[in-house]
Amino acid sequence: MFFVSSGVGPYAGQSVHFRHYAPDKLPYAINRYAFEAQRHFGILDARLAKQKYMLGDHLHPSST
């Protein structure tokens, strides 16, 4: 959960903001946040290619 809330969410959001909504197109900001968003999604892709959940076998407490 921390990975999503401190990494994927903020970097993906900043990437979209600087690429599409910022009044000034700043190449440094666009490139930095696009790179970090791609890096975070790459970590998710690699992990989920090997297992069904990010944290391994996961059962929701209400399903036991």
Side-chain angles (χ1 to χ4, degrees), residues 4-39:
V4 172
S5 65
S6 67
V8 173
Y11 284 104
Q14 292 294 339
S15 180
V16 169
H17 169 77
F18 282 110
R19 185 175 301 266
H20 298 288
Y21 301 108
D24 298 319
K25 300 300 179 203
L26 303 171
Y28 172 79
I30 291 169
N31 293 332
R32 177 176 191 262
Y33 289 107
F35 173 81
E36 286 298 325
Q38 287 294 89
R39 187 176 72 81

Side-chain angles (χ1 to χ4, degrees), residues 2 6-7 9-12 14 16-17 23 26 31 36-37 39-41 44 52-53 56-57 59 61-63:
F2 286 114
S6 67
Y11 284 104
Q14 292 294 339
V16 169
H17 169 77
L26 303 171
N31 293 332
E36 286 298 325
R39 187 176 72 81
H40 281 83
F41 284 122
L44 285 171
K52 189 173 181 177
Y53 300 100
D57 291 334
L59 292 175
S62 66
S63 65

